[in-house]
Amino acid sequence: MSVAKTGARLWAGLLLACAGAQAQAAPRDLYFVTQLFPPFITDSADGKLDGALIAILREACRRADWNCKVQAMVWKRALLTVGQGGADGLVLAQDAPERRAVMELSKPVLASSYGLYVQSGSALRYRQPGDLAGKTMAVYGPSLSQASSERLVQGVSGVSLAVELDPETVLRKLAAGRYGADAVAFSNDDVARYWIKRDGLGNVRKLAEVKPLAYLYGFTRSRLKPGMLETFNRVLDDMCRDGSLARLAAPSGIRLATCR
């Protein structure tokens, strides 16, 4: 082989290697879907998404050199979009079989819990699920909140489930006595705290905490590229160690999941 041909091949190989490195280093365009879910995901007066999970995602994407767009929509549509491979990921995911069926999950980011709520004057006491026998329990759904509430009262006799389209409606109807004086609401505790304060629901109180939970990010398995989840988790670890996670979650009053 001539020196000229050898040099040409080496030069072509070098160009291909450079092009591959540039493509790998180029920012990725990622599309996430979610729903409005204060205080985790809110919208500002100018219509821009905000809240702890949005702020953390934006900073993580910046550090990973990704261009991340997030769109809020009805929750059922968001889940359908991810399930059909129409988005790269889901903001506001839990580690549950329903999510693992189509997603790879990031490390836990924010810690929260599910609780039971009643009117302030309610005489109901809660020690075990059987204490809810014969009661009406209101919950937002379809959602993992609804699935968790149904598991809580599985086998408990006479529980009537009232499912509403959003958590605010659940708490406002509870406060107004729409479910009856002995009714309970099943809600994320941070969400309940937000709406009780926002809507001035002074006659609603927390009865009991029933389940801890954590929120994270889901990446659609069919669209996930090699190394992306590892990169994202490394960024989350860095943000945890340098205090960025705590700083970004603080305005929403939400606890962090355990940092490693």
Side-chain angles (χ1 to χ4, degrees), residues 152-164:
L152 178 69
V153 297
Q154 188 173 8
V156 178
S157 64
V159 177
S160 176
L161 202 65
V163 181
E164 305 290 356

Side-chain angles (χ1 to χ4, degrees), residues 17 27 31 38 43 74 111 152 155-157 165 180 189 221 226 230-231 243 258:
Y31 171 54
D43 59 348
V74 175
L152 178 69
V156 178
S157 64
L165 292 177
D189 286 324
R221 188 172 295 117
E230 292 77 9
T231 296
T258 303

Side-chain angles (χ1 to χ4, degrees), residues 200-219:
L201 306 178
N203 65 329
V204 172
R205 65 176 176 86
K206 184 175 177 179
L207 177 65
E209 181 177 314
V210 294
K211 181 184 177 182
L213 61 97
Y215 287 114
L216 34 81
Y217 300 94
F219 287 81

